Amino acid sequence: MAWIRTVAPDEAQGLLARLYDAAVKRAGKVFNILRLQSQRPKVLRASTQLYMEVMFSDENGLSRAQREMIATAVSRANRCFY
């Protein structure tokens, strides 16, 4: 885990609580990559919107599986375990 202070899901309030609730509905839990942005809920919201657009938009012609393969390859190359 990072050396950044994060807000746990049970401590979240307001916008952050709503974003965490949406994350649980989407993925079943709040992943650490989201918790790392918990000090700035508006940034987390924008980051999530960007992620959703990149991964789920029908505008670029790639399948969801292709997008996940690209994300996995980039993460591996960057030695990122998220």
Side-chain angles (χ1 to χ4, degrees), residues 47-59:
S47 173
T48 301
Q49 289 170 337
L50 176 62
Y51 169 80
M52 297 300 287
E53 180 66 24
V54 167
M55 295 305 286
F56 295 98
S57 173
D58 293 330
E59 295 181 16

Side-chain angles (χ1 to χ4, degrees), residues 4-81:
I4 300 170
R5 182 176 123 27
T6 63
V7 178
D10 62 340
E11 298 172 351
Q13 298 177 8
L15 175 59
L16 182 59
R18 292 190 301 276
L19 293 169
Y20 277 3
D21 288 344
V24 170
K25 287 178 186 172
R26 255 189 336 270
K29 68 179 197 173
V30 178
F31 282 95
N32 287 337
I33 192 71
L34 301 181
R35 288 183 63 172
L36 287 173
Q37 299 174 76
S38 63
Q39 293 296 319
R40 301 281 307 277
K42 290 179 183 178
V43 172
L44 173 56
R45 179 177 56 197
S47 173
T48 301
Q49 289 170 337
L50 176 62
Y51 169 80
M52 297 300 287
E53 180 66 24
V54 167
M55 295 305 286
F56 295 98
S57 173
D58 293 330
E59 295 181 16
N60 70 8
L62 296 175
S63 71
R64 171 81 175 151
Q66 289 169 318
R67 295 170 208 217
E68 286 293 341
M69 286 190 303
I70 292 167
T72 300
V74 170
S75 293
R76 174 73 176 177
N78 289 330
R79 296 183 179 163
C80 176
F81 300 103

